[in-house]
Short mmCIF file of all heavy atoms in Angstrom, two decimals:
data_model
loop_
_atom_site.label_atom_id
_atom_site.label_comp_id
_atom_site.label_asym_id
_atom_site.label_seq_id
_atom_site.Cartn_x
_atom_site.Cartn_y
_atom_site.Cartn_z
N MET A 1 276.53 25.28 144.87
CA MET A 1 276.19 24.17 145.75
C MET A 1 277.49 23.58 146.32
O MET A 1 278.47 23.42 145.60
CB MET A 1 275.44 23.12 144.94
CG MET A 1 274.43 22.36 145.75
SD MET A 1 273.47 21.14 144.82
CE MET A 1 272.48 22.17 143.76
N ASP A 2 277.46 23.26 147.60
CA ASP A 2 278.67 22.72 148.22
C ASP A 2 278.72 21.20 148.11
O ASP A 2 277.78 20.56 147.66
CB ASP A 2 278.77 23.17 149.68
CG ASP A 2 277.61 22.69 150.53
OD1 ASP A 2 277.01 21.64 150.22
OD2 ASP A 2 277.31 23.36 151.54
N ALA A 3 279.83 20.64 148.51
CA ALA A 3 280.04 19.19 148.38
C ALA A 3 279.05 18.39 149.23
O ALA A 3 278.59 17.33 148.79
CB ALA A 3 281.48 18.85 148.79
N PHE A 4 278.71 18.91 150.41
CA PHE A 4 277.74 18.21 151.26
C PHE A 4 276.40 18.10 150.55
O PHE A 4 275.81 17.01 150.48
CB PHE A 4 277.57 18.96 152.59
CG PHE A 4 276.47 18.40 153.45
CD1 PHE A 4 276.66 17.25 154.18
CD2 PHE A 4 275.23 19.03 153.50
CE1 PHE A 4 275.64 16.71 154.97
CE2 PHE A 4 274.20 18.52 154.29
CZ PHE A 4 274.41 17.36 155.02
N THR A 5 275.92 19.22 150.02
CA THR A 5 274.63 19.23 149.33
C THR A 5 274.65 18.35 148.10
O THR A 5 273.72 17.55 147.89
CB THR A 5 274.24 20.68 148.95
OG1 THR A 5 274.18 21.47 150.15
CG2 THR A 5 272.90 20.73 148.25
N ASP A 6 275.70 18.46 147.30
CA ASP A 6 275.82 17.62 146.11
C ASP A 6 275.80 16.13 146.48
O ASP A 6 275.09 15.34 145.86
CB ASP A 6 277.12 17.92 145.36
CG ASP A 6 277.07 19.22 144.59
OD1 ASP A 6 275.96 19.72 144.31
OD2 ASP A 6 278.16 19.73 144.25
N GLY A 7 276.59 15.77 147.47
CA GLY A 7 276.65 14.37 147.89
C GLY A 7 275.33 13.87 148.43
O GLY A 7 274.91 12.74 148.12
N LEU A 8 274.67 14.69 149.21
CA LEU A 8 273.39 14.30 149.78
C LEU A 8 272.34 14.10 148.69
O LEU A 8 271.62 13.10 148.68
CB LEU A 8 272.92 15.36 150.78
CG LEU A 8 271.65 15.08 151.56
CD1 LEU A 8 271.75 13.75 152.32
CD2 LEU A 8 271.37 16.22 152.53
N LEU A 9 272.28 15.01 147.74
CA LEU A 9 271.31 14.89 146.65
C LEU A 9 271.61 13.67 145.78
O LEU A 9 270.68 12.98 145.32
CB LEU A 9 271.28 16.17 145.82
CG LEU A 9 270.70 17.39 146.53
CD1 LEU A 9 270.84 18.64 145.65
CD2 LEU A 9 269.26 17.17 146.95
N GLU A 10 272.88 13.37 145.58
CA GLU A 10 273.24 12.18 144.80
C GLU A 10 272.85 10.90 145.55
O GLU A 10 272.37 9.94 144.93
CB GLU A 10 274.73 12.18 144.48
CG GLU A 10 275.05 13.17 143.38
CD GLU A 10 276.41 12.94 142.77
OE1 GLU A 10 276.91 11.79 142.81
OE2 GLU A 10 276.96 13.91 142.24
N ARG A 11 273.05 10.89 146.86
CA ARG A 11 272.66 9.72 147.66
C ARG A 11 271.15 9.53 147.66
O ARG A 11 270.66 8.40 147.61
CB ARG A 11 273.17 9.86 149.10
CG ARG A 11 274.68 9.68 149.20
CD ARG A 11 275.18 9.82 150.60
NE ARG A 11 274.61 8.80 151.47
CZ ARG A 11 274.63 8.85 152.79
NH1 ARG A 11 275.19 9.87 153.42
NH2 ARG A 11 274.10 7.89 153.51
N ILE A 12 270.41 10.63 147.68
CA ILE A 12 268.95 10.55 147.63
C ILE A 12 268.51 9.98 146.29
O ILE A 12 267.66 9.08 146.23
CB ILE A 12 268.31 11.92 147.90
CG1 ILE A 12 268.48 12.28 149.37
CG2 ILE A 12 266.83 11.93 147.50
CD1 ILE A 12 268.09 13.70 149.72
N LYS A 13 269.11 10.48 145.22
CA LYS A 13 268.75 9.99 143.88
C LYS A 13 269.06 8.49 143.77
O LYS A 13 268.26 7.71 143.23
CB LYS A 13 269.52 10.77 142.81
CG LYS A 13 269.15 10.40 141.41
CD LYS A 13 269.87 11.26 140.39
CE LYS A 13 269.51 10.84 138.99
NZ LYS A 13 270.17 11.66 137.99
N ALA A 14 270.21 8.06 144.28
CA ALA A 14 270.59 6.65 144.23
C ALA A 14 269.62 5.80 145.05
O ALA A 14 269.21 4.71 144.61
CB ALA A 14 272.02 6.47 144.73
N ALA A 15 269.23 6.28 146.21
CA ALA A 15 268.29 5.54 147.05
C ALA A 15 266.94 5.42 146.36
O ALA A 15 266.28 4.37 146.45
CB ALA A 15 268.15 6.20 148.42
N GLU A 16 266.49 6.48 145.70
CA GLU A 16 265.23 6.43 144.96
C GLU A 16 265.30 5.39 143.84
O GLU A 16 264.36 4.60 143.65
CB GLU A 16 264.89 7.81 144.38
CG GLU A 16 264.51 8.82 145.43
CD GLU A 16 264.38 10.23 144.90
OE1 GLU A 16 264.98 10.56 143.84
OE2 GLU A 16 263.70 11.04 145.56
N THR A 17 266.41 5.38 143.12
CA THR A 17 266.60 4.42 142.04
C THR A 17 266.62 2.99 142.58
O THR A 17 265.96 2.10 142.04
CB THR A 17 267.91 4.71 141.28
OG1 THR A 17 267.82 6.03 140.72
CG2 THR A 17 268.16 3.71 140.18
N ASP A 18 267.36 2.79 143.67
CA ASP A 18 267.44 1.46 144.28
C ASP A 18 266.09 1.00 144.82
O ASP A 18 265.74 -0.18 144.72
CB ASP A 18 268.49 1.45 145.39
CG ASP A 18 269.91 1.62 144.87
OD1 ASP A 18 270.12 1.47 143.64
OD2 ASP A 18 270.80 1.91 145.68
N LEU A 19 265.33 1.93 145.38
CA LEU A 19 263.99 1.60 145.88
C LEU A 19 263.08 1.17 144.73
O LEU A 19 262.37 0.17 144.84
CB LEU A 19 263.39 2.80 146.62
CG LEU A 19 261.95 2.65 147.11
CD1 LEU A 19 261.81 1.46 148.05
CD2 LEU A 19 261.50 3.94 147.78
N ASP A 20 263.11 1.91 143.64
CA ASP A 20 262.30 1.55 142.47
C ASP A 20 262.67 0.16 141.96
O ASP A 20 261.79 -0.65 141.67
CB ASP A 20 262.48 2.57 141.34
CG ASP A 20 261.84 3.92 141.65
OD1 ASP A 20 260.97 3.99 142.56
OD2 ASP A 20 262.21 4.91 140.98
N LEU A 21 263.97 -0.12 141.88
CA LEU A 21 264.42 -1.42 141.40
C LEU A 21 263.98 -2.54 142.33
O LEU A 21 263.51 -3.59 141.87
CB LEU A 21 265.94 -1.42 141.24
CG LEU A 21 266.56 -2.70 140.70
CD1 LEU A 21 266.00 -3.02 139.31
CD2 LEU A 21 268.07 -2.57 140.63
N ALA A 22 264.11 -2.32 143.63
CA ALA A 22 263.68 -3.33 144.60
C ALA A 22 262.20 -3.62 144.48
O ALA A 22 261.76 -4.78 144.52
CB ALA A 22 264.02 -2.87 146.02
N ARG A 23 261.41 -2.57 144.29
CA ARG A 23 259.97 -2.76 144.13
C ARG A 23 259.65 -3.50 142.84
O ARG A 23 258.79 -4.37 142.82
CB ARG A 23 259.26 -1.41 144.17
CG ARG A 23 259.20 -0.81 145.57
CD ARG A 23 258.57 0.54 145.56
NE ARG A 23 258.34 1.04 146.92
CZ ARG A 23 258.09 2.30 147.21
NH1 ARG A 23 258.00 3.20 146.25
NH2 ARG A 23 257.89 2.67 148.46
N GLU A 24 260.34 -3.13 141.76
CA GLU A 24 260.10 -3.77 140.46
C GLU A 24 260.43 -5.26 140.49
O GLU A 24 259.78 -6.06 139.82
CB GLU A 24 260.93 -3.08 139.37
CG GLU A 24 260.42 -1.71 138.99
CD GLU A 24 261.36 -0.97 138.06
OE1 GLU A 24 262.34 -1.57 137.55
OE2 GLU A 24 261.13 0.24 137.84
N THR A 25 261.46 -5.61 141.25
CA THR A 25 261.87 -7.02 141.30
C THR A 25 261.16 -7.80 142.40
O THR A 25 261.40 -9.00 142.55
CB THR A 25 263.40 -7.13 141.49
OG1 THR A 25 263.76 -6.50 142.71
CG2 THR A 25 264.15 -6.50 140.32
N GLY A 26 260.32 -7.11 143.17
CA GLY A 26 259.55 -7.79 144.22
C GLY A 26 260.35 -8.11 145.46
O GLY A 26 259.95 -8.96 146.25
N ASP A 27 261.47 -7.44 145.66
CA ASP A 27 262.31 -7.68 146.84
C ASP A 27 261.81 -6.78 147.98
O ASP A 27 262.28 -5.64 148.14
CB ASP A 27 263.77 -7.40 146.51
CG ASP A 27 264.72 -7.84 147.61
OD1 ASP A 27 264.29 -7.95 148.78
OD2 ASP A 27 265.91 -8.08 147.29
N ASP A 28 260.86 -7.28 148.75
CA ASP A 28 260.23 -6.47 149.79
C ASP A 28 261.20 -6.06 150.89
O ASP A 28 261.13 -4.94 151.40
CB ASP A 28 259.05 -7.23 150.41
CG ASP A 28 257.92 -7.43 149.43
OD1 ASP A 28 257.79 -6.64 148.47
OD2 ASP A 28 257.14 -8.39 149.62
N PHE A 29 262.11 -6.96 151.25
CA PHE A 29 263.08 -6.62 152.29
C PHE A 29 263.98 -5.47 151.84
O PHE A 29 264.17 -4.49 152.56
CB PHE A 29 263.94 -7.83 152.68
CG PHE A 29 265.00 -7.49 153.68
CD1 PHE A 29 264.68 -7.30 155.01
CD2 PHE A 29 266.33 -7.34 153.28
CE1 PHE A 29 265.66 -6.96 155.95
CE2 PHE A 29 267.31 -7.00 154.21
CZ PHE A 29 266.98 -6.81 155.54
N LEU A 30 264.53 -5.58 150.64
CA LEU A 30 265.39 -4.53 150.12
C LEU A 30 264.62 -3.23 149.95
O LEU A 30 265.15 -2.15 150.23
CB LEU A 30 266.04 -4.95 148.80
CG LEU A 30 267.02 -3.95 148.19
CD1 LEU A 30 268.14 -3.61 149.17
CD2 LEU A 30 267.58 -4.48 146.88
N ALA A 31 263.37 -3.31 149.54
CA ALA A 31 262.55 -2.11 149.40
C ALA A 31 262.39 -1.42 150.76
O ALA A 31 262.49 -0.19 150.85
CB ALA A 31 261.19 -2.46 148.81
N ASP A 32 262.18 -2.20 151.81
CA ASP A 32 262.07 -1.63 153.16
C ASP A 32 263.37 -0.96 153.58
O ASP A 32 263.36 0.13 154.17
CB ASP A 32 261.69 -2.70 154.17
CG ASP A 32 260.25 -3.15 154.06
OD1 ASP A 32 259.44 -2.46 153.40
OD2 ASP A 32 259.92 -4.22 154.63
N VAL A 33 264.48 -1.60 153.30
CA VAL A 33 265.79 -1.04 153.64
C VAL A 33 266.02 0.27 152.88
O VAL A 33 266.44 1.28 153.47
CB VAL A 33 266.93 -2.05 153.33
CG1 VAL A 33 268.30 -1.39 153.44
CG2 VAL A 33 266.82 -3.26 154.25
N GLU A 34 265.74 0.26 151.60
CA GLU A 34 265.95 1.47 150.78
C GLU A 34 265.01 2.59 151.19
O GLU A 34 265.40 3.76 151.20
CB GLU A 34 265.79 1.15 149.29
CG GLU A 34 266.85 0.23 148.74
CD GLU A 34 268.27 0.78 148.85
OE1 GLU A 34 268.46 2.01 148.98
OE2 GLU A 34 269.21 -0.03 148.81
N LEU A 35 263.77 2.25 151.55
CA LEU A 35 262.83 3.27 151.99
C LEU A 35 263.30 3.91 153.29
O LEU A 35 263.24 5.14 153.44
CB LEU A 35 261.44 2.66 152.17
CG LEU A 35 260.34 3.64 152.57
CD1 LEU A 35 260.21 4.78 151.56
CD2 LEU A 35 259.02 2.90 152.71
N ALA A 36 263.81 3.11 154.20
CA ALA A 36 264.34 3.65 155.46
C ALA A 36 265.53 4.57 155.19
O ALA A 36 265.66 5.64 155.79
CB ALA A 36 264.74 2.51 156.40
N GLU A 37 266.40 4.16 154.28
CA GLU A 37 267.56 4.98 153.91
C GLU A 37 267.10 6.30 153.31
O GLU A 37 267.61 7.37 153.64
CB GLU A 37 268.45 4.21 152.91
CG GLU A 37 269.61 5.01 152.36
CD GLU A 37 270.75 5.23 153.34
OE1 GLU A 37 270.72 4.69 154.45
OE2 GLU A 37 271.69 5.97 152.99
N LEU A 38 266.14 6.22 152.42
CA LEU A 38 265.61 7.42 151.77
C LEU A 38 264.98 8.37 152.79
O LEU A 38 265.21 9.58 152.75
CB LEU A 38 264.61 7.02 150.70
CG LEU A 38 264.06 8.11 149.80
CD1 LEU A 38 265.17 8.89 149.13
CD2 LEU A 38 263.13 7.51 148.77
N GLU A 39 264.23 7.83 153.72
CA GLU A 39 263.62 8.66 154.76
C GLU A 39 264.69 9.34 155.62
O GLU A 39 264.58 10.52 155.95
CB GLU A 39 262.70 7.82 155.64
CG GLU A 39 261.43 7.41 154.92
CD GLU A 39 260.61 6.37 155.67
OE1 GLU A 39 261.11 5.80 156.68
OE2 GLU A 39 259.47 6.13 155.25
N ASP A 40 265.75 8.61 155.96
CA ASP A 40 266.84 9.19 156.74
C ASP A 40 267.54 10.31 155.97
O ASP A 40 267.86 11.36 156.53
CB ASP A 40 267.88 8.12 157.12
CG ASP A 40 267.40 7.19 158.22
OD1 ASP A 40 266.41 7.53 158.91
OD2 ASP A 40 268.01 6.13 158.39
N LEU A 41 267.78 10.07 154.70
CA LEU A 41 268.45 11.09 153.88
C LEU A 41 267.59 12.33 153.71
O LEU A 41 268.09 13.46 153.78
CB LEU A 41 268.82 10.51 152.51
CG LEU A 41 269.91 9.45 152.51
CD1 LEU A 41 269.99 8.77 151.15
CD2 LEU A 41 271.26 10.05 152.89
N ARG A 42 266.30 12.14 153.52
CA ARG A 42 265.39 13.29 153.40
C ARG A 42 265.30 14.06 154.72
O ARG A 42 265.22 15.30 154.72
CB ARG A 42 264.02 12.84 152.94
CG ARG A 42 264.02 12.45 151.47
CD ARG A 42 262.65 12.07 150.99
NE ARG A 42 262.67 11.82 149.55
CZ ARG A 42 261.74 11.12 148.92
NH1 ARG A 42 260.72 10.63 149.59
NH2 ARG A 42 261.82 10.95 147.63
N ARG A 43 265.32 13.35 155.83
CA ARG A 43 265.33 14.01 157.14
C ARG A 43 266.60 14.84 157.31
O ARG A 43 266.55 16.00 157.72
CB ARG A 43 265.22 12.98 158.27
CG ARG A 43 265.28 13.58 159.67
CD ARG A 43 265.47 12.53 160.75
NE ARG A 43 266.53 11.57 160.47
CZ ARG A 43 267.83 11.81 160.60
NH1 ARG A 43 268.25 13.00 160.98
NH2 ARG A 43 268.74 10.88 160.35
N LEU A 44 267.72 14.26 156.94
CA LEU A 44 269.00 14.95 157.02
C LEU A 44 268.99 16.20 156.14
O LEU A 44 269.46 17.27 156.54
CB LEU A 44 270.13 14.01 156.61
CG LEU A 44 271.55 14.53 156.71
CD1 LEU A 44 271.90 14.88 158.15
CD2 LEU A 44 272.53 13.50 156.17
N ALA A 45 268.45 16.07 154.95
CA ALA A 45 268.35 17.22 154.04
C ALA A 45 267.51 18.32 154.67
O ALA A 45 267.90 19.50 154.65
CB ALA A 45 267.76 16.78 152.70
N ALA A 46 266.37 17.97 155.24
CA ALA A 46 265.49 18.96 155.86
C ALA A 46 266.19 19.66 157.02
O ALA A 46 266.07 20.87 157.18
CB ALA A 46 264.21 18.29 156.33
N GLU A 47 266.94 18.90 157.81
CA GLU A 47 267.65 19.47 158.95
C GLU A 47 268.70 20.49 158.54
O GLU A 47 269.05 21.38 159.30
CB GLU A 47 268.30 18.37 159.78
CG GLU A 47 267.33 17.52 160.57
CD GLU A 47 267.99 16.36 161.28
OE1 GLU A 47 269.22 16.18 161.16
OE2 GLU A 47 267.25 15.61 161.96
N HIS A 48 269.22 20.34 157.32
CA HIS A 48 270.26 21.23 156.82
C HIS A 48 269.77 22.20 155.77
O HIS A 48 270.58 22.86 155.09
CB HIS A 48 271.43 20.39 156.28
CG HIS A 48 272.18 19.68 157.38
ND1 HIS A 48 273.16 20.28 158.14
CD2 HIS A 48 272.03 18.43 157.88
CE1 HIS A 48 273.59 19.42 159.03
NE2 HIS A 48 272.94 18.30 158.90
N GLY A 49 268.46 22.27 155.59
CA GLY A 49 267.89 23.24 154.67
C GLY A 49 268.13 22.92 153.20
O GLY A 49 268.10 23.81 152.36
N VAL A 50 268.36 21.65 152.90
CA VAL A 50 268.58 21.24 151.52
C VAL A 50 267.22 20.88 150.93
O VAL A 50 266.52 20.02 151.44
CB VAL A 50 269.53 20.03 151.42
CG1 VAL A 50 269.67 19.55 149.99
CG2 VAL A 50 270.89 20.39 152.00
N GLU A 51 266.86 21.57 149.86
CA GLU A 51 265.57 21.32 149.22
C GLU A 51 265.66 20.10 148.32
O GLU A 51 266.56 19.97 147.50
CB GLU A 51 265.16 22.54 148.39
CG GLU A 51 263.69 22.65 148.21
CD GLU A 51 263.30 24.00 147.64
OE1 GLU A 51 263.76 25.02 148.17
OE2 GLU A 51 262.54 23.99 146.65
N VAL A 52 264.71 19.18 148.52
CA VAL A 52 264.68 17.93 147.76
C VAL A 52 263.34 17.86 147.04
O VAL A 52 262.30 17.98 147.68
CB VAL A 52 264.83 16.71 148.70
CG1 VAL A 52 264.73 15.42 147.90
CG2 VAL A 52 266.12 16.78 149.47
N ASN A 53 263.39 17.67 145.75
CA ASN A 53 262.15 17.49 144.99
C ASN A 53 261.64 16.08 145.21
O ASN A 53 262.41 15.14 145.13
CB ASN A 53 262.37 17.72 143.50
CG ASN A 53 262.77 19.15 143.20
OD1 ASN A 53 262.36 20.07 143.90
ND2 ASN A 53 263.58 19.35 142.18
N ALA A 54 260.35 15.96 145.49
CA ALA A 54 259.76 14.64 145.69
C ALA A 54 259.79 13.86 144.41
O ALA A 54 259.57 14.39 143.33
CB ALA A 54 258.32 14.77 146.20
N ALA A 55 260.08 12.56 144.53
CA ALA A 55 260.15 11.70 143.34
C ALA A 55 258.79 11.23 142.94
O ALA A 55 257.88 11.14 143.70
CB ALA A 55 261.05 10.51 143.61
#
C-alpha cells in the first residue's frame, strides 16, 4: 500500500470516529461537518480505486 492510500484510509477512519463521537455527544453541527468530510473522503477513495469497508 502506498502513502496516499494509507493516509486516505487513516483519514477515513478518523472521520468515522469523529462522526460517532459527535453523534454520541449530540453535536448535530459537528456531526454534519464530519459526515460531509467522510463523504468527500469516500468519493476521493472511489475516484482512485481505493477500497473502503463500510463502517
Side-chain angles (χ1 to χ4, degrees):
M1 212 178 292
D2 61 28
F4 173 78
T5 301
D6 285 341
L8 185 56
L9 292 174
E10 285 196 25
R11 288 180 62 196
I12 289 171
K13 184 176 178 179
E16 290 171 337
T17 299
D18 292 345
L19 175 58
D20 289 341
L21 182 59
R23 286 177 172 164
E24 288 172 10
T25 60
D27 189 337
D28 294 335
F29 176 76
L30 183 56
D32 287 345
V33 170
E34 293 300 339
L35 183 57
E37 175 74 5
L38 186 55
E39 289 170 350
D40 286 344
L41 291 169
R42 287 183 175 160
R43 178 192 48 76
L44 184 62
E47 289 174 359
H48 291 277
V50 176
E51 205 168 311
V52 178
N53 295 329

